[in-house]
Amino acid sequence: MHNTRLQGLKNTHILLIDDHPQDLDDLVNALRVQGTRITVADQPRKGLHYAQALYPDLILLDVHMPDVDGFVVCRLLREIPNCKDIPIIFLTSAADVTDRVNGLTMGGADYVLKPYAIEEVLARIVIHLQGKEPSSQRQRPGLLLQEQPPEQVILQAAVRLIRGKLNHLPKLTEIAAKVGTHDKRLSAIFREQLGMTVFAWVREERLRKTQELLVDSDISIEDIATQVGFSSAANLATAFRERFSVTPTSFRKIKEMD
């Protein structure tokens, strides 16, 4: 299987995160023949740790895994400075179109279905490694990469998720599950890190976003209410006035005169 097109695999480091890694022995062996170093994580949380500690060139990631699925792993990796630019290829039997779209919109570089053709997977890996300096050359000898505290990663992922869904906020249990935790722990993280509950933060974020839209756009108060997740313009105006002692309309006029 040696050929010039696969030379880009030599001296690279790939992290495989899959709860049944033995099923991928043929792919792992093919990669090792090409001179690739492989690290295997058979648990999602172990994979998150290895990604931060080892700084691989590329990650092969399963979707359906116990405790934390691959989408959660991808979402959390994208919040870690040392990991956010590592190409992630989903390698999974999750063939539903929704799964494929979720994986790609969440930050995955590619999505390959099992059963796979080894040659295709190798070719896709080469494509996503093109132009990347191997991690062994990017890291200075003796440099220890600092691991992000799990609570901080979960908080950042939850904040990003909520900001993208202000107009149709999922239930707390769903938000927590999508960032790899449960509702009680997520609530505790918000209180410890931000000094407020999840929904108190959501309310503040909705009002902050309202301020931003009032200043930077000319869309109506009704449309702003819908966009930030208030049930009506009247409810938005009441909350805004309670928080800032001025109505949204007056706030906009004041800013226009500044």
Side-chain angles (χ1 to χ4, degrees), residues 61 63 70-71 74-75 78 88-90 92 94 96-111:
L61 178 60
V63 170
F71 295 143
C74 184
R75 177 176 278 117
R78 291 306 178 232
I88 295 173
I89 297 179
F90 286 98
T92 176
D96 189 84
V97 172
T98 302
D99 288 332
R100 299 202 300 271
V101 171
N102 282 342
L104 294 172
T105 57
M106 205 168 293
D110 213 334
Y111 200 101

Side-chain angles (χ1 to χ4, degrees), residues 7-13 34-37 57 134-137:
Q7 287 180 353
L9 295 172
K10 189 174 182 180
N11 298 323
T12 58
H13 181 196
Q34 300 300 325
T36 301
R37 175 188 170 198
D57 296 294
S135 58
S136 58
Q137 297 179 27

Side-chain angles (χ1 to χ4, degrees), residues 52-213:
Q52 294 188 73
L54 303 176
Y55 194 32
D57 296 294
L58 183 140
I59 296 172
L60 294 174
L61 178 60
D62 192 14
V63 170
H64 295 318
M65 295 182 287
D67 185 27
V68 175
D69 69 29
F71 295 143
V72 172
V73 173
C74 184
R75 177 176 278 117
L76 296 177
L77 285 170
R78 291 306 178 232
E79 299 300 331
I80 301 171
N82 291 333
C83 301
K84 65 180 182 179
D85 295 325
I86 298 174
I88 295 173
I89 297 179
F90 286 98
L91 188 59
T92 176
S93 59
D96 189 84
V97 172
T98 302
D99 288 332
R100 299 202 300 271
V101 171
N102 282 342
L104 294 172
T105 57
M106 205 168 293
D110 213 334
Y111 200 101
V112 180
L113 292 177
K114 301 174 182 176
Y116 52 80
I118 293 178
E119 294 81 0
E120 179 186 0
V121 178
L122 296 183
R124 289 178 182 270
I125 291 172
V126 169
I127 289 170
H128 294 295
L129 289 177
Q130 283 178 350
K132 285 180 60 69
E133 188 179 27
S135 58
S136 58
Q137 297 179 27
R138 296 197 301 271
Q139 286 180 254
R140 297 190 301 274
L143 176 64
L144 180 64
L145 295 173
Q146 185 174 4
E147 189 164 343
Q148 288 276 98
E151 293 79 9
Q152 187 64 34
V153 177
I154 289 171
L155 175 65
Q156 291 168 187
V159 164
R160 188 184 299 276
L161 174 63
I162 291 169
R163 281 178 172 157
K165 296 183 178 292
L166 277 178
N167 62 337
H168 190 63
L169 195 67
K171 293 180 180 179
L172 182 59
T173 52
E174 184 180 346
I175 295 171
K178 287 181 178 294
V179 296
T181 189
H182 53 79
D183 54 348
K184 290 184 178 179
R185 186 185 181 208
L186 184 62
S187 296
I189 289 172
F190 267 75
R191 287 195 298 271
E192 292 165 4
Q193 300 284 329
L194 302 177
M196 63 182 74
T197 66
V198 176
F199 290 108
W201 183 87
V202 169
R203 183 181 177 85
E204 286 295 306
E205 180 61 17
R206 282 173 166 158
L207 293 173
R208 184 203 65 78
K209 185 63 176 179
T210 296
Q211 284 186 315
E212 180 183 300
L213 291 170

